[in-house]
Amino acid sequence: MTSCSTGLQIEGHKGQIPLIILQKETGILVSLWMIDRIGRKKSMAICFLLFSVSILPLYACTHRTVLTVFIFIARACITGGWQVAYVYTPEVFPTATRAIGIGTGSGMARVGALITPFIAQVLLKSSVYLTVSVYLICCLLGTVASLLLPTETKGRSLQESTQSTMEQKNMERPHGSETAESSSNTCP
């Protein structure tokens, strides 16, 4: 067991599986409750901001129980933010580019998943403050980025975004040049 200057200790996850599951389920339930009440963009921003605030006690030398509570809240918030992103992405992209949008987002998440073990394990051994700072800055950037997203999809159905996209494509096309493929893709 390695101890750092803030009192944070690195140890195994023995016996913590139920707590980890509860963290994720809590984040999912809270995000599901928020997205239809305040919108997707604000929900994502709140989740990322609450994560950032919840990891601030890691800078201080506090009791282990306090750290556990704040880490629980932080993990629930980051899980909730991820779930909101997965709801938002298909709603904002038209059918024709939905797979590309979701695939790109998923690919960026995989890059994050590759970098996280380095930050969480290797960098933590040299500096707790630097490690926490990386997560804090990334989530604060995520907060700003989610607030700057161009479209709020609250109250819009998936079919509305698809139908408006197809109507826009048909208006851009010269009259009479509609192909059999494009006419079969239109929404009823």
Side-chain angles (χ1 to χ4, degrees):
M1 185 161 26
T2 306
S3 180
C4 64
S5 62
T6 63
L8 183 63
Q9 296 178 345
I10 305 166
E11 57 184 47
H13 294 290
K14 296 175 186 171
Q16 295 180 357
I17 300 299
L19 186 60
I20 291 170
I21 292 170
L22 185 60
Q23 292 167 345
K24 292 185 178 223
E25 298 303 320
T26 303
I28 291 169
L29 292 174
V30 169
S31 66
L32 286 175
W33 179 81
M34 282 192 328
I35 59 174
D36 285 330
R37 284 166 181 75
I38 64 172
R40 278 75 164 141
K41 289 171 41 174
K42 288 180 185 174
S43 295
M44 217 178 326
I46 287 171
C47 286
F48 292 152
L49 184 62
L50 284 176
F51 173 85
S52 300
V53 169
S54 296
I55 64 171
L56 286 176
L58 295 177
Y59 284 107
C61 192
T62 60
H63 192 269
R64 185 167 180 85
T65 305
V66 174
L67 287 176
T68 302
V69 168
F70 278 103
I71 290 172
F72 180 93
I73 294 168
R75 285 185 52 114
C77 290
I78 204 66
T79 300
W82 180 247
Q83 294 306 313
V84 175
Y86 256 96
V87 170
Y88 179 79
T89 306
E91 292 177 344
V92 77
F93 286 106
T95 303
T97 58
R98 188 168 293 140
I100 294 170
I102 293 174
T104 302
S106 181
M108 292 295 108
R110 302 295 179 239
V111 170
L114 287 170
I115 295 170
T116 295
F118 169 76
I119 294 170
Q121 294 175 2
V122 176
L123 193 57
L124 186 62
K125 288 180 182 177
S126 64
S127 173
V128 173
Y129 299 121
L130 184 58
T131 305
V132 173
S133 296
V134 168
Y135 287 118
L136 183 69
I137 290 168
C138 287
C139 263
L140 288 175
L141 289 173
T143 301
V144 172
S146 58
L147 289 172
L148 294 176
L149 289 169
T151 307
E152 174 58 68
T153 59
K154 177 185 170 190
R156 277 181 36 187
S157 70
L158 192 59
Q159 192 172 21
E160 283 178 31
S161 72
T162 304
Q163 190 171 16
S164 64
T165 303
M166 293 308 292
E167 288 172 1
Q168 184 180 14
K169 279 187 175 182
N170 287 337
M171 289 177 63
E172 292 173 357
R173 214 175 263 145
H175 186 63
S177 66
E178 190 173 318
T179 62
E181 179 187 347
S182 65
S183 63
S184 66
N185 288 334
T186 58
C187 297

